[in-house]
Amino acid sequence: MTVVAHSHDLDAAPDWFTRATAVEPELGSVDVDGARISYRVWGKPGGNPLILVHGGAANSRWWDHVAPLLSDGRRVAALDLSGHGHSDHRSSYSRRRWAEEVMAVAGVVGPRPIVIGHSLGGFVALETAGRYGSELAGTVVVDSPARTVRPVFDAERERRMRRKLRVYESEGAIVARFRPDPEDTPLPQYLRNYLGSRSIRETAGGFTWQFDPTISMAGGMIIDEVIPPSCPLALIRGERGMLSAEMSRALADETGPDIVELAIPDSGHHIMLEQPLALAAALETLSRNWSICRPTNTAE
């Protein structure tokens, strides 16, 4: 059963947010290796389509207020990676399989897309660019903290990742518990309500979150794992985000010349939530300038 948000979600929302989220997308799904992958599409065919990839434990609805701002003259798709949103869960997850899901959605919305990913979605975007760069018009990584050394992975952390999600007795109770990670992300209440009510599902005994906790076992990426992409690449970080200036420079050095690096002022990790208009402007500028992707890291 799909949880329906209440109208008071948007009581205090700015007009632009209300208008953007009122735009109804097309809904669809595609099968990828036995899993149904759900997606949402705004706009009409035109230029290079955009594919928006959410972060870990999030879902496609986190782009609801941004996607319509980018849909003038082109299609914009946001997918639920397997293990998230309304897509199927799997027995295990990997960036490679998630990249296949991105390309499956690309096959629906049109050729030579620009793939834009936030956090875990940025790692998926990098994986997609490394494997399928010649088929892309560009890739944007939004505050994805690629590191030089893989964090220590211990048994206790794995146990927590495999735990069952808590079930809450009412929709109001679970939405009240919604917090992005980091939990101190400054969000207005209307946005917490909007995202929280769209990140849950009804289950036996009440309501729980949509995501599969075991997705975290496939999360993270170290710089040595990045395959230099054969398409334009931009790295966007929040001023107070998880992708530091030093990390961004190291990642740019690894992926090749002519990498665009941008910082969004007065933003932490969740740039699409904290500074959505600034992010939309940056994405609009990048995507309009990447008309045709020319391979940049292939052998002569």
Side-chain angles (χ1 to χ4, degrees):
M1 174 180 176
T2 300
V3 177
V4 178
H6 303 298
S7 59
H8 64 250
D9 277 355
L10 303 183
D11 283 352
D15 288 345
W16 74 265
F17 184 97
T18 303
R19 291 194 302 270
T21 54
V23 178
E24 291 288 341
E26 302 171 30
L27 306 181
S29 65
V30 62
D31 183 274
V32 180
D33 196 18
R36 183 180 63 88
I37 305 303
S38 296
Y39 60 83
R40 304 163 65 80
V41 182
W42 295 258
K44 298 183 181 299
N48 298 103
L50 308 184
I51 299 180
L52 305 175
V53 190
H54 59 77
N59 59 71
S60 59
R61 305 303 300 270
W62 289 47
W63 295 105
D64 277 2
H65 58 303
V66 176
L69 306 180
L70 303 171
S71 64
D72 184 18
R74 63 183 164 207
R75 304 187 85 190
V76 179
L79 75 154
D80 290 329
L81 298 172
S82 56
H84 299 79
H86 292 289
S87 290
D88 288 344
H89 293 189
R90 298 184 186 273
S91 58
S92 64
Y93 303 93
S94 68
R95 289 193 308 272
R96 181 169 188 166
R97 184 169 280 168
W98 281 328
E100 292 170 355
E101 295 168 9
V102 170
M103 294 306 295
V105 173
V108 174
V109 297
R112 304 196 70 76
I114 295 170
V115 178
I116 300 162
H118 169 251
S119 195
L120 170 66
F123 299 142
V124 175
L126 280 171
E127 188 79 17
T128 306
R131 296 184 181 279
Y132 306 100
S134 63
E135 301 176 45
L136 306 181
T139 303
V140 184
V141 174
V142 182
D143 214 69
S144 302
R147 305 178 189 279
T148 55
V149 178
R150 185 175 298 284
V152 175
F153 192 87
D154 58 34
E156 174 59 22
R157 183 181 177 198
E158 181 174 350
R159 185 193 67 78
R160 292 196 304 269
M161 288 178 177
R162 292 189 180 278
R163 73 190 186 282
K164 290 185 177 180
L165 294 172
R166 177 180 171 183
V167 175
Y168 295 79
E169 64 181 11
S170 69
E171 181 180 347
I174 189 171
V175 171
R177 290 294 303 153
F178 174 79
R179 298 288 187 278
D181 184 16
E183 289 195 6
D184 61 354
T185 301
L187 295 185
Q189 192 60 46
Y190 76 84
L191 191 49
R192 288 186 187 275
N193 290 343
Y194 185 92
L195 293 176
S197 61
R198 291 158 176 82
S199 299
I200 62 180
R201 61 183 174 86
E202 194 166 4
T203 188
F207 297 84
T208 191
W209 306 109
Q210 291 176 337
F211 68 90
D212 180 350
T214 64
I215 57 168
S216 298
M217 299 184 69
M221 191 176 202
I222 59 173
I223 291 176
D224 285 351
E225 294 174 334
V226 177
I227 304 170
S230 56
C231 65
L233 173 65
L235 307 174
I236 299 180
R237 63 182 180 86
E239 183 182 24
R240 306 182 309 276
M242 292 184 178
L243 178 65
S244 67
E246 293 74 20
M247 283 182 186
S248 179
R249 176 54 15 212
L251 184 55
D253 289 343
E254 180 70 20
T255 49
D258 303 321
I259 305 302
V260 177
E261 294 182 79
L262 300 173
I264 302 296
D266 194 26
S267 181
H269 178 56
H270 296 285
I271 302 175
M272 84 282 284
L273 307 182
E274 299 177 59
Q275 294 292 345
L277 296 179
L279 177 62
L283 296 176
E284 179 73 16
T285 301
L286 288 167
S287 59
R288 296 299 180 188
N289 280 279
W290 288 343
S291 56
I292 299 177
C293 170
R294 297 181 182 279
T296 57
N297 287 299
T298 55
E300 296 293 336

